[in-house]
Amino acid sequence: GAGVSQSPSNKVTEKGKDVELRCDPISGHTALYWYRQSLGQGLEFLIYFQGNSAPDKSGLPSDRFSAERTGGSVSTLTIQRTQQEDSAVYLCASSLIAGGRNTIYFGEGSWLTVV
Amino acid sequence: AQTVTQSQPEMSVQEAETVTLSCTYDTSESNYYLFWYKQPPSRQMILVIRQEAYKQQNATENRFSVNFQKAAKSFSLKISDSQLGDTAMYFCAFMKRTNAGGTSYGKLTFGQGTILTVHP
């Protein structure tokens, strides 16, 4: 597609349930990122995939959060046993790192509400 | 660790006027990039402008320009001839560069954001 695509756009889930958020990056982009945007914490880095390298998971807030990227393209962010504090907009982004330049393009986000 | 500070939670400007959004950052890195992103109500973060720290010349993109003061660790955004479509949340962001001439590391550190409202 032309841009970074995320689904679902909005998700309401009950506390304790698992959720999966999907990201389809811009075709050809080797790097993929997940960020979280919440009222109290602003924009936080969660995880970063670059090519075949081991992902940087340093931003994941707890072991309930995990992400994978299959075939170097689509990524899924999974939140297990959701809590109310997980309510936020989850933004995916991708970039093509070339020659030292790295411009990151964002999707429209998945708005998660845990009730 | 890097920190980015935007001290203006909200700003407003009249259409066609000029407005400047402030951003300061703290880092021990010497090679890095700075960005301004715009987030309208649609939620999508849109890149407005980028600046390489090794370049002394300030970046410009049409009506958008920056005032990059490396020694002061300051990176302000000037919007000239403001338009109603400029109404959005604006984020300043920092990204370090792993090695000179090599690939850059894509983790962005964001400021808290500034809500800009353009009035007709």
Side-chain angles (χ1 to χ4, degrees):
Chain A
V4 178
S5 178
Q6 291 188 245
S7 61
S9 180
N10 292 284
K11 173 75 176 179
V12 180
T13 190
E14 292 181 351
K15 178 181 173 181
K17 296 286 178 92
D18 296 352
V19 296
E20 286 189 350
L21 307 176
R22 176 189 167 100
C23 174
D24 198 346
I26 293 172
S27 178
H29 279 192
T30 55
L32 187 146
Y33 318 79
W34 284 97
Y35 287 82
R36 178 169 72 174
Q37 185 174 21
S38 57
L39 281 176
Q41 302 296 324
L43 271 156
E44 305 170 274
F45 165 80
L46 296 178
I47 189 169
Y48 163 55
F49 296 90
Q50 167 53 20
N52 295 321
S53 303
D56 177 347
K57 305 179 183 180
S58 61
L60 295 178
S62 77
D63 59 8
R64 296 187 296 105
F65 287 73
S66 62
E68 62 177 18
R69 188 180 185 192
T70 54
S73 181
V74 172
S75 176
T76 302
L77 176 69
T78 301
I79 309 172
Q80 295 178 308
R81 305 180 303 281
T82 51
Q83 303 295 313
Q84 288 185 329
E85 62 262 28
D86 300 334
S87 296
V89 177
Y90 290 83
L91 293 167
C92 179
S94 71
S95 68
L96 174 63
I97 300 175
R101 292 185 64 83
N102 182 7
T103 298
I104 298 175
Y105 298 89
F106 285 81
E108 294 187 356
S110 292
W111 195 325
L112 175 66
T113 303
V114 182
V115 297
Chain B
Q2 287 70 230
T3 59
V4 179
T5 303
Q6 294 176 247
S7 59
Q8 305 155 315
E10 294 186 46
M11 293 281 285
S12 63
V13 64
Q14 292 294 126
E15 196 174 7
E17 299 287 304
T18 295
V19 64
T20 298
L21 307 184
S22 301
C23 173
T24 58
Y25 59 95
D26 190 21
T27 184
S28 58
E29 303 286 336
S30 56
N31 292 316
Y32 52 88
Y33 300 98
L34 294 163
F35 304 86
W36 279 97
Y37 278 89
K38 166 185 175 181
Q39 187 179 41
S42 68
R43 292 201 312 241
Q44 185 168 19
M45 298 280 280
I46 302 166
L47 178 66
V48 174
I49 198 165
R50 61 178 282 151
Q51 174 81 40
E52 286 89 344
Y54 64 87
K55 290 188 177 178
Q56 293 185 345
Q57 185 174 9
N58 289 322
T60 62
E61 287 287 341
N62 300 314
R63 298 182 295 106
F64 300 89
S65 61
V66 298
N67 183 4
F68 174 46
Q69 302 289 327
K70 190 172 184 179
K73 296 191 172 85
S74 170
F75 183 62
S76 60
L77 174 70
K78 185 171 83 171
I79 306 174
S80 304
D81 186 25
S82 297
Q83 300 176 359
L84 296 179
D86 296 333
T87 293
M89 173 89 87
Y90 286 80
F91 290 94
C92 177
F94 172 101
M95 181 170 70
K96 70 178 182 180
R97 185 169 175 166
T98 50
N99 51 74
T103 57
S104 58
Y105 181 68
K107 176 180 171 181
L108 287 165
T109 300
F110 288 91
Q112 304 93 318
T114 297
I115 299 172
L116 175 66
T117 304
V118 180
H119 297 286

